Amino acid sequence: MREVISNVARRLSTRAPHLLWLAIACRQSATEVAIAAWSPGQSGPRVSALIVDRTQIVDSDAETLCALSAAMESVDVLTHTRWVTILGREAVTRRFYRTLEQIVGTLAVEARGNAPSDVRRDIALLYASRLLFLSFLEAKEWLDGDRSFLARRYDDCLSRQGGFQRRVLLPLFFGTLNTPTRSRAPTARALGRIPFLNGGLFSRSALERTYSRLEFRDEELGLFISELLGRYRFTAREESADWSEAAVDPEMLGRAFESMMASHERRNTGAFFTPHELVARVTDEALAHALGQPPDGLIAALSRPNAVARSTELDTVRATLTRFRLLDPACGSGAFLVYALERVSRLLSLLGDARAVSELRRAVLTQSIFGVDLSPTAVWLCQLRLWLSVVIDSPARDPALVAPLPNLDRNIRVGDALAVDGAIQAGTAGAAAIARLRSRYARAVGVRKKTLSRALDRAERTAAIALLDRRTAAIDAARRDIVVAARGRDLFGERSSVSAATRTALAELRAERRAARARRRALLAGAALPFSFSTHFADVAGAGGFDVIVGNPPWVRVHRIPQGARSALRRGFVAYRGAAWRTGAAASRAGGGFAAQVDLAALFIERSLALAAPAGIVALLAPAKLWRSLAGGGVRGLLVGDHELLSIEDWSNAPALFDAAVYPSLVVARRGKLSQPKEHPEVKVTVHAQRVAATWGVHTSELSLDASPGAPWLLLPPVARRAFDALRAVGTPLGASRFGPPLLGVKCGCNRAFIVHARNESYFAEAGNRVDVEVDLLRPLIRGEHVTRWRIDGNGDRVIWTHGPSGQPLDRLPPRAERWLRGWRRRLVARSDARQAARWWSLFRTEAATPNDARVVWADFGRVPTAALLEPGDTAVPLNTCYVVRCADRDDAVALVALLNSPLAAAWLAALAEPARGGYRRYLGWTVSLLPLPGPWDRAREHLVDVGTRALRGQPPSDAELLDATIRAYGLRLSAVNALLDWNIR
């Protein structure tokens, strides 16, 4: 039915694209009915459909029909749009998520037995995942030929004595689905004709073995079966670019996992579900570079009459696909791996592999698909989705003929892909033997499975010990070289003294050798094997690495990582140690800590490039800020310095793709340098906007702002880049001018102690309690949101100013202020900046609050820069959501305000500023410090002072008038910068 509807949609879209269709189809000899509508897609119509069995109607089917009936609008286009939405998966998804989260939470809370709440939730999610998997098997009639198997067994159990988990689920999970038919106990045989699935899906987890007495109540299990499994339609086919069905598919399991993670856990782990659109884009881009042509283009070529004439080329592609290995280093619930499995299997089938779809997928899965994740739950769900992808197209109707699932625990593993000692090391011992063992283990069942598992454990342990021995030998050789050099004589025959650096190096080598020997002894004694790609994927390491690496690694700032882990990561990753773009940090006087706030995604890029085989392809989603921020210097330098950057895509300004405030981009690189040193390889750049995308090519030498290592990348079309550079050529960076780098506003470190709000001639703290302090200590406060173009919005906020006219903290606080702040003393002493402060009541970075000069102030966050003037003598205190430039001459300040508010400055800074939520950008001090001031400044400011003065008097100029004044100040023509202005308003 799915093929019929797809074909009908394609033909009608071709022959009558101007009509709005709702197609209803049924088979005379079957009970299937389909209702479908479609909308234009990238490569044809995108169908949204409801496909039901008339004998098995569920509640969600009825709800979909009711919604269709209620969707009638007076305008046909609106009606059809609503039909497409209602028939698509998203309409079901929202209801399903809410129901699943509620029932799993209740299942965990009401379970009998002693177990921590997080363990209860994990085991409840485990049971829910198994039951959801069985719902897909019910749809294929593999559970004793009964599409309502679980509901009937539940009713039967309750009609006797109850205990559904103990009497039905435990025998079903661990005595039937995980046990060959001939070995099943009578209780398991009584459940009927059930396939033997193997694979570990229905093996007891470590948590289940530890908390074996935890028992779920019949009431909650019944709720799960009736309100979830009985209410929604399930399909084993996942959503694709051209098909969406009003049913629950396996991809929802990944979304369900993401939705049920606590918000703080999601924020700390960076775990957010990747939309299918991005999964397909990333994986196809990686495959295109690995195969030398896009997968869609290859599929189209195979359907042409002259495909046979290209047999040599196609044989090369087939050979590449057969032997290649693909990794997701942070696989989560497996979205990328499932898509890659299905994509590669389809390509092999079109290239002449005659095996059945399920058999072909099984072979590709066990030979080519690999994944790693820190979360055991995520790994479990990833394996589950991969198993579903294998069984979905199995032609077997008889449960006894269903082939056992492959064992995936040696392909999809729990581990830390960023483990400092976990990178691939050449020459892993026993790599070929491990490859053979894993291939046999993937197909093994019963006793043979256990035997091969132990053999694999021994082989991996042996490989780990051999690697430690090699590392120890390398340390000994390094120590020997240092000692020989230290004992040598100089040209005059004198022994040189041992330097402090040499002593430090020897001490570090001795400590590393002790640690390696200790790890070796622990492994020999049977200690747990620490995760390492060289041991857990020894055969891949022996072959040089992975051919393709794809994924969406966690996006986590280092301040969310424990200090001990941070130190280890700093030692192990160049992108961390050299995170800062040093040239920009030095020019803007940005603090070393701020400039080195690396994101974990940068470390995943570095590790992925290290895991890739020579000329291997890495395609990862990463935060778009990496290509512009100060802290992205390390990873940018790595990509263009040591490897070949192939393409980059930016979705910062595209419609929201995630359910979180993130700004994704795609980076694709080839490990190593294949081009000749004198060549400048071209990078494909794509920038997505609301409804369109622009793509162009640019040489890597022209991508960066300048030639300094790690400089920000400018994702500008060539004509816009020329306009950007034209402005730089006629100006001096603000940070290098007589005004110096911008100053960050004042930092309190505890706003609740220092900030009060004026109301009815009294002052109140954030909590609402009245604050009694000396009035002469209170100064007006400016936050970023108070700064608009030309002026500062009035507000009642005040800061308790604990510093004197010199900017130094008061030697002694007045009595009422001292009494108020003493209540906060413990918090104030604990502030990170307080260690260097002279007084515990100090404020920090107070230079921006000095009122002697005129000050230009702007918000650090906005759609465009918004600047205002603080007159000399104005005691207002800009907080650290503002930046400030001090000007001895008021006219300089007025001209700077006009320049920053101009459309030209907005367009220039937009190319550099980090993206933020809702189309906003971050106008940080280092970013604005690069803005070129027109020169010579004394002449140029005359064009700006007039419009600025009028604006400050309440007569702001139009954008056109301000743009004209700015262009005249730079001495340019409009045509020289038009391309940059046009690009900024795309």
Side-chain angles (χ1 to χ4, degrees):
M1 183 65 78
R2 182 171 177 165
E3 289 185 11
V4 170
I5 293 294
S6 296
N7 289 334
V8 167
R10 280 194 293 271
R11 295 189 67 179
L12 290 177
S13 294
T14 302
R15 299 189 178 187
H18 58 290
L19 297 180
L20 304 173
W21 293 95
L22 180 71
I24 302 175
C26 62
R27 294 182 187 273
Q28 187 174 6
S29 58
T31 57
E32 272 188 319
V33 176
I35 304 175
W38 51 87
S39 57
Q42 292 183 346
S43 57
R46 190 174 195 277
V47 179
S48 297
L50 171 67
I51 300 179
V52 303
D53 183 339
R54 285 176 291 176
T55 65
Q56 296 286 333
I57 300 295
V58 296
D59 288 356
S60 64
D61 298 336
E63 290 172 357
T64 301
L65 286 173
C66 290
L68 283 175
S69 175
M72 299 298 291
E73 297 281 353
S74 58
V75 181
D76 288 349
V77 173
L78 295 179
T79 300
H80 188 264
T81 301
R82 292 193 62 187
W83 283 349
V84 171
T85 302
I86 292 165
L87 290 170
R89 191 187 67 173
E90 291 303 315
V92 175
T93 299
R94 290 187 290 271
R95 302 196 303 268
F96 176 77
Y97 286 170
R98 287 194 297 267
T99 307
L100 177 63
E101 185 164 13
Q102 179 182 0
I103 294 177
V104 169
T106 305
L107 197 66
V109 170
E110 299 297 335
R112 301 187 186 96
N114 294 323
S117 59
D118 57 335
V119 170
R120 288 169 170 267
R121 191 169 181 81
D122 285 346
I123 297 179
L125 183 58
L126 197 61
Y127 266 72
S129 302
R130 287 177 177 142
L131 290 171
L132 288 168
F133 185 90
L134 293 182
S135 69
F136 294 111
L137 300 193
E138 279 187 333
K140 294 182 73 70
E141 298 184 0
W142 281 358
L143 300 184
D144 202 29
D146 187 353
R147 290 197 174 192
S148 300
F149 176 86
L150 291 171
R152 294 188 201 282
R153 291 289 171 177
Y154 178 81
D155 292 341
D156 182 62
C157 179
L158 258 64
S159 68
R160 299 184 180 184
Q161 293 181 331
F164 185 64
Q165 178 185 356
R166 184 179 68 259
R167 296 176 183 274
V168 177
L169 293 185
L170 294 182
L172 177 62
F173 291 169
F174 309 126
T176 308
L177 291 160
N178 200 37
T179 306
T181 305
R182 63 181 179 277
S183 304
R184 291 175 182 172
T187 304
R189 291 178 185 272
L191 292 172
R193 294 176 62 79
I194 308 292
F196 165 52
L197 293 183
N198 189 40
L201 175 60
F202 293 99
S203 298
R204 293 182 192 271
S205 69
L207 279 179
E208 287 176 299
R209 291 193 296 270
T210 303
Y211 297 94
S212 58
R213 294 184 179 275
L214 190 69
E215 183 177 357
F216 298 114
R217 301 196 318 163
D218 288 343
E219 291 83 349
E220 283 70 46
L221 289 171
L223 198 65
F224 191 98
I225 292 171
S226 62
E227 293 299 313
L228 205 69
L229 304 187
R231 186 174 182 181
Y232 291 91
R233 179 164 301 282
F234 290 83
T235 176
R237 294 184 180 274
E238 297 201 359
E239 184 181 41
S240 65
D242 56 5
W243 185 270
S244 179
E245 194 169 330
V248 177
D249 67 19
E251 188 183 14
M252 287 193 187
L253 299 179
R255 287 202 177 189
F257 162 67
E258 183 261 324
S259 71
M260 286 190 288
M261 289 178 67
S263 59
H264 72 277
E265 184 181 350
R266 292 169 60 188
R267 186 166 59 249
N268 290 338
T269 62
F272 291 96
F273 187 84
T274 310
H276 177 82
E277 175 187 344
L278 291 185
V279 171
R281 180 62 185 155
V282 172
T283 311
D284 282 346
E285 190 74 5
L287 291 175
H289 287 286
L291 300 176
Q293 54 187 307
D296 286 334
L298 182 59
I299 292 170
L302 290 169
S303 63
R304 293 176 189 145
N306 65 341
V308 178
R310 302 174 57 196
S311 59
T312 302
E313 178 186 348
L314 297 180
D315 286 344
T316 302
V317 174
R318 186 188 304 111
T320 301
L321 283 173
T322 301
R323 67 174 180 267
F324 97 137
R325 295 178 174 92
L326 181 144
L327 168 75
D328 184 343
C331 62
S333 60
F336 289 90
L337 298 182
V338 170
Y339 182 84
L341 170 63
E342 296 179 355
R343 197 67 154 158
V344 171
S345 300
R346 185 184 180 200
L347 289 172
L348 283 172
S349 180
L350 291 171
L351 286 164
D353 196 313
R355 287 176 288 182
V357 174
S358 60
E359 184 181 349
L360 182 55
R361 286 185 182 177
R362 189 183 302 265
V364 172
L365 174 57
T366 56
Q367 295 169 14
S368 301
I369 302 298
F370 300 88
V372 176
D373 201 277
L374 268 174
S375 166
T377 306
V379 167
W380 158 266
L381 288 168
C382 178
Q383 293 176 0
L384 187 149
R385 288 182 65 185
L386 290 168
W387 280 318
L388 273 173
S389 186
V390 167
V391 303
I392 175 181
D393 286 311
S394 173
R397 302 293 296 176
D398 186 346
L401 300 179
V402 176
L405 296 172
N407 300 305
L408 297 181
D409 52 312
R410 303 291 173 154
N411 286 54
I412 315 299
R413 311 196 71 149
V414 177
D416 183 2
L418 295 183
V420 174
D421 296 326
I424 283 180
Q425 301 177 40
T428 302
I434 289 175
R436 289 192 298 271
L437 281 172
R438 187 175 60 231
S439 178
R440 293 161 59 194
Y441 172 78
R443 304 187 301 270
V445 299
V447 175
R448 180 176 173 79
K449 174 181 173 180
K450 294 179 181 178
T451 302
L452 287 171
S453 177
R454 288 193 292 268
L456 268 170
D457 287 339
R458 289 193 298 271
E460 290 175 351
R461 188 172 297 273
T462 300
I465 292 171
L467 285 172
L468 285 173
D469 289 341
R470 289 179 54 203
R471 180 57 189 154
T472 302
I475 292 171
D476 290 341
R479 288 179 61 200
R480 192 182 309 115
D481 291 344
I482 293 175
V483 171
V484 169
R487 290 176 178 174
R489 298 178 182 273
D490 60 21
L491 294 175
F492 303 99
E494 301 292 332
R495 292 188 183 276
S496 56
S497 59
V498 180
S499 67
T502 300
R503 292 193 183 93
T504 301
L506 285 171
E508 290 176 350
L509 287 172
R510 283 194 297 269
E512 189 175 352
R513 189 181 192 280
R514 284 195 300 271
R517 299 296 294 175
R519 288 200 298 271
R520 188 183 193 279
R521 288 193 298 272
L523 291 179
L524 286 172
L529 195 65
F531 177 79
S532 168
F533 283 94
S534 291
T535 54
H536 288 72
F537 299 104
D539 54 325
V540 180
F546 295 92
D547 301 288
V548 175
I549 298 177
V550 297
N552 178 18
W555 305 358
V556 182
R557 300 291 285 269
V558 289
H559 68 271
R560 297 193 181 278
I561 304 171
Q563 181 60 46
R566 268 184 263 173
S567 301
L569 292 172
R570 182 184 293 276
R571 290 194 305 271
F573 289 89
V574 173
Y576 194 157
R577 293 194 302 275
W581 173 41
R582 298 186 183 281
T583 302
S588 61
R589 299 177 195 167
F594 174 78
Q597 288 183 359
V598 69
D599 194 288
L600 272 191
L603 309 190
F604 268 95
I605 292 172
E606 180 178 342
R607 174 52 54 88
S608 296
L609 288 165
L611 295 174
I617 300 299
V618 173
L620 297 175
L621 287 174
K625 67 182 180 184
L626 284 184
W627 321 129
R628 309 182 194 181
S629 66
L630 276 184
V635 70
R636 292 192 296 265
L638 182 74
L639 283 166
V640 300
D642 301 333
H643 304 281
E644 187 170 354
L645 182 64
L646 299 173
S647 70
I648 184 166
E649 296 191 32
D650 185 359
W651 280 279
S652 298
N653 295 317
L657 295 167
F658 289 82
D659 66 347
V662 293
Y663 318 101
S665 68
L666 164 63
V667 61
V668 184
R670 178 182 283 115
R671 180 181 175 180
K673 291 282 191 182
L674 294 186
S675 304
Q676 295 298 321
K678 292 185 180 180
E679 292 183 0
H680 295 292
E682 192 170 85
V683 181
K684 185 180 77 171
V685 179
T686 302
V687 174
H688 297 262
Q690 286 295 322
R691 295 181 179 85
V692 296
T695 301
W696 63 91
V698 61
H699 294 309
T700 52
S701 61
E702 300 170 346
L703 184 65
S704 301
L705 172 69
D706 56 36
S708 61
W713 295 349
L714 302 180
L715 306 186
L716 292 172
V719 290
R721 177 61 192 264
R722 286 194 290 272
F724 181 94
D725 290 338
L727 218 60
R728 289 183 69 204
V730 297
T732 302
L734 172 62
S737 70
R738 65 193 187 201
F739 306 112
L743 304 170
L744 182 61
V746 172
K747 179 181 178 182
C748 297
C750 183
N751 287 354
R752 294 166 62 190
F754 288 100
I755 297 176
V756 298
H757 188 77
R759 188 168 67 245
N760 298 329
E761 299 184 357
S762 296
Y763 298 96
F764 297 85
E766 180 183 307
N769 51 311
R770 189 173 181 276
V771 178
D772 181 23
V773 296
E774 287 76 7
V775 175
D776 58 351
L777 288 187
L778 298 177
R779 289 174 60 172
L781 181 69
I782 303 173
R783 302 178 191 265
E785 60 264 31
H786 299 149
V787 183
T788 62
R789 291 180 79 186
W790 309 111
R791 62 187 180 83
I792 294 168
D793 286 342
N795 65 87
D797 289 346
R798 299 290 185 271
V799 62
I800 301 174
W801 190 249
T802 58
H803 291 240
S806 65
Q808 296 299 312
L810 297 171
D811 291 331
R812 185 168 184 164
L813 288 172
R816 284 182 289 164
E818 197 273 343
R819 185 165 56 250
W820 164 252
L821 290 176
R822 184 166 295 280
W824 297 93
R825 179 167 182 168
R826 181 176 297 180
R827 291 279 303 276
L828 299 183
V829 170
R831 293 174 296 172
S832 58
D833 294 286
R835 290 189 293 269
Q836 309 296 328
R839 298 286 187 270
W840 59 265
W841 53 79
S842 294
L843 296 164
F844 313 114
R845 302 172 188 157
T846 57
E847 189 178 357
T850 304
N852 300 339
D853 298 324
R855 289 173 288 164
V856 178
V857 58
W858 69 88
D860 67 346
F861 181 83
R863 292 186 182 275
V864 295
T866 53
L869 174 70
L870 290 177
E871 298 284 358
D874 189 331
T875 60
V877 177
L879 209 57
N880 60 348
T881 52
C882 303
Y883 283 90
V884 170
V885 169
R886 295 170 55 187
C887 302
D889 187 327
R890 182 182 182 277
D891 282 353
D892 286 338
V894 172
L896 277 177
V897 169
L899 179 64
L900 287 172
N901 285 329
S902 71
L904 188 55
W908 197 93
L909 290 171
L912 272 177
E914 294 179 28
R917 181 182 311 215
Y920 285 70
R921 293 182 174 87
R922 300 188 183 280
Y923 297 101
L924 305 176
W926 75 267
T927 307
V928 179
S929 73
L930 296 173
L931 177 69
L933 297 187
W937 174 251
D938 290 336
R939 177 195 61 78
R941 75 173 187 177
E942 295 176 3
H943 299 284
L944 299 168
V945 168
D946 180 55
V947 292
T949 300
R950 284 191 287 113
L952 294 173
R953 290 174 179 168
Q955 300 173 343
S958 66
D959 282 348
E961 186 179 357
L962 187 54
L963 176 62
D964 179 67
T966 308
I967 290 174
R968 283 189 284 110
Y970 280 103
L972 295 172
R973 294 183 177 180
L974 180 61
S975 58
V977 295
N978 240 341
L980 184 62
L981 294 165
D982 291 343
W983 178 251
N984 189 46
I985 61 173
R986 66 192 184 280

